[in-house]
């Protein structure tokens, strides 16, 4: 299971991811594979979204046979091969939030069929008796809404999440300028020290220091996003949220 985050730590992580999703969606692109393994941190504790291998524009998704993604983080509409839109990223974000604050995923399954059965049988919301504030519950449960039409973010995208009362008083402009002091720094430093051998295994220095080569078509499609993330891709100090797992 993943290390439990405090709500203040979750808020900072979530704010970073919301900003990233907002930028991706503003370029008419759906990420489709948001998960802890695709989150990188710089040495100041700022989080970035990476790995756009299966990202695409909405009109390029063939809902009848497109099963791209990691099943445990896929939205119900992706799992059941229904019409998919930007909301699939918000659902994946909800899974990540649940995992961070609860220390475990809301459900487990090895295949798309396993997840289909679980989603048909249950709703996976945070309950009132689980020690999480009402506002935090509201935000996460809204992201985990199985109905994409009523899911948080379905009306006005990332702006809707930024205006949620969970973020009341949060200075988004300060975050955009990277002037917030990240509450994740100590966790990341501790994890890097505690998992030094694992980090060496997962992140080869030569690999982390190079910019991944991509074909011309992909380069043109994601040019703006890759430029935005260029500094992250070149930082060998970046560490994946995966390493925070026990």
């Amino acid at each position: 299971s993943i290390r439990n985050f405090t709500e203040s730590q979750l808020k900072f992580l979530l704010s970073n991811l919301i900003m990233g999703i907002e930028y991706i969606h503003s370029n008419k692109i759906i990420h489709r594979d948001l998960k802890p393994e695709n989150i990188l941190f710089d040495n100041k504790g700022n989080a970035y979204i990476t790995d756009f291998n299966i990202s695409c524009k909405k009109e390029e998704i063939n809902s009848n046979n497109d099963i791209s993604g990691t099943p445990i983080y896929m939205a119900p509409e992706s799992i059941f091969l229904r019409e998919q839109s930007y909301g699939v990223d918000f659902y994946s974000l909800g899974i990540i939030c649940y995992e961070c604050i609860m220390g475990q995923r809301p459900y487990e399954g090895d295949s798309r069929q396993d997840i289909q059965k679980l989603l048909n049988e249950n709703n996976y919301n945070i309950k009132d008796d689980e020690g999480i504030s009402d506002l935090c519950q509201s935000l996460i449960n809204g992201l985990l809404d199985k109905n994409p039409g009523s899911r948080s973010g379905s009306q006005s995208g990332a702006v809707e999440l930024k205006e949620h009362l969970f973020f009341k008083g949060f200075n988004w402009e300060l975050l955009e300028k990277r002037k917030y002091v990240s509450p994740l720094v100590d966790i990341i430093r501790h994890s890097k020290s505690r998992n030094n051998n694992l980090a060496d295994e997962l992140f080869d220095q030569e690999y982390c220091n190079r910019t991944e080569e991509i074909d011309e078509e992909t380069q043109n499609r994601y040019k703006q996003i890759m430029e935005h993330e260029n500094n992250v891709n070149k930082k060998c100090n970046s560490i994946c949220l995966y390493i925070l797992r026990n």
Side-chain angles (χ1 to χ4, degrees), residues 142-170:
L143 290 168
L144 291 177
D145 191 329
K146 292 192 289 188
N147 181 355
S150 56
R151 184 177 304 147
S152 293
S154 64
Q155 303 305 312
S156 54
V159 173
E160 185 178 336
L161 304 184
K162 291 163 78 172
E163 293 177 348
H164 192 280
L165 288 177
F166 181 65
F167 287 105
K168 184 178 181 179
F170 189 84

Side-chain angles (χ1 to χ4, degrees), residues 79-98:
I79 288 289
F80 290 102
L81 299 179
R82 298 168 183 157
E83 183 178 357
Q84 301 169 44
S85 188
Y86 301 105
V88 301
D89 287 343
F90 294 127
Y91 187 88
S92 299
L93 187 63
I95 297 288
I96 294 171
C97 290
Y98 188 107

Side-chain angles (χ1 to χ4, degrees), residues 5 9-17 39 41 47 100 184:
F5 279 38
Q9 290 168 339
L10 176 65
K11 181 179 293 186
F12 185 82
L13 172 63
L14 182 55
S15 66
N16 279 245
L17 299 181
I39 300 170
F41 293 96
C100 286
L184 302 176

Side-chain angles (χ1 to χ4, degrees), residues 224-246:
Q224 286 182 304
I225 292 178
M226 297 305 291
E227 287 177 351
H228 181 70
E229 305 239 315
N230 190 44
N231 290 331
V232 180
N233 292 334
K234 290 183 177 179
K235 285 182 180 289
C236 64
N237 287 330
S238 294
I239 182 167
C240 183
L241 188 56
Y242 179 84
I243 294 177
L244 297 182
R245 299 194 174 197
N246 296 321

Side-chain angles (χ1 to χ4, degrees), residues 104-156:
Q104 61 185 16
R105 300 186 186 101
Y107 45 79
E108 295 287 349
D110 295 325
S111 68
R112 188 168 62 87
Q113 289 71 28
D114 290 340
I115 305 302
Q116 283 180 335
K117 183 178 180 180
L118 290 169
L119 290 174
N120 277 328
E121 293 175 350
N122 297 291
N123 289 313
Y124 294 92
N125 292 337
I126 294 179
K127 307 298 191 298
D128 290 339
D129 60 352
E130 291 178 318
I132 311 300
S133 73
D134 290 344
L135 291 178
C136 187
Q137 287 182 48
S138 169
L139 181 60
I140 296 175
N141 290 343
L143 290 168
L144 291 177
D145 191 329
K146 292 192 289 188
N147 181 355
S150 56
R151 184 177 304 147
S152 293
S154 64
Q155 303 305 312
S156 54

Side-chain angles (χ1 to χ4, degrees), residues 151-218:
R151 184 177 304 147
S152 293
S154 64
Q155 303 305 312
S156 54
V159 173
E160 185 178 336
L161 304 184
K162 291 163 78 172
E163 293 177 348
H164 192 280
L165 288 177
F166 181 65
F167 287 105
K168 184 178 181 179
F170 189 84
N171 192 324
W172 291 95
E173 184 177 349
L174 204 62
L175 176 69
E176 188 172 5
K177 294 177 180 178
R178 289 291 182 252
K179 292 185 177 181
Y180 253 115
V181 177
S182 171
L184 302 176
V185 171
D186 289 339
I187 290 181
I188 293 169
R189 287 175 179 168
H190 174 68
S191 297
K192 289 170 80 172
S193 174
R194 183 168 55 90
N195 296 284
N196 187 56
N197 292 334
L198 177 59
D200 288 342
E201 178 183 344
L202 292 176
F203 297 105
D204 177 80
Q205 292 294 319
E206 182 179 353
Y207 177 82
C208 288
N209 278 315
R210 73 180 178 86
T211 302
E212 183 179 359
E213 294 181 3
I214 53 178
D215 59 55
E216 184 176 354
E217 180 181 356
T218 305

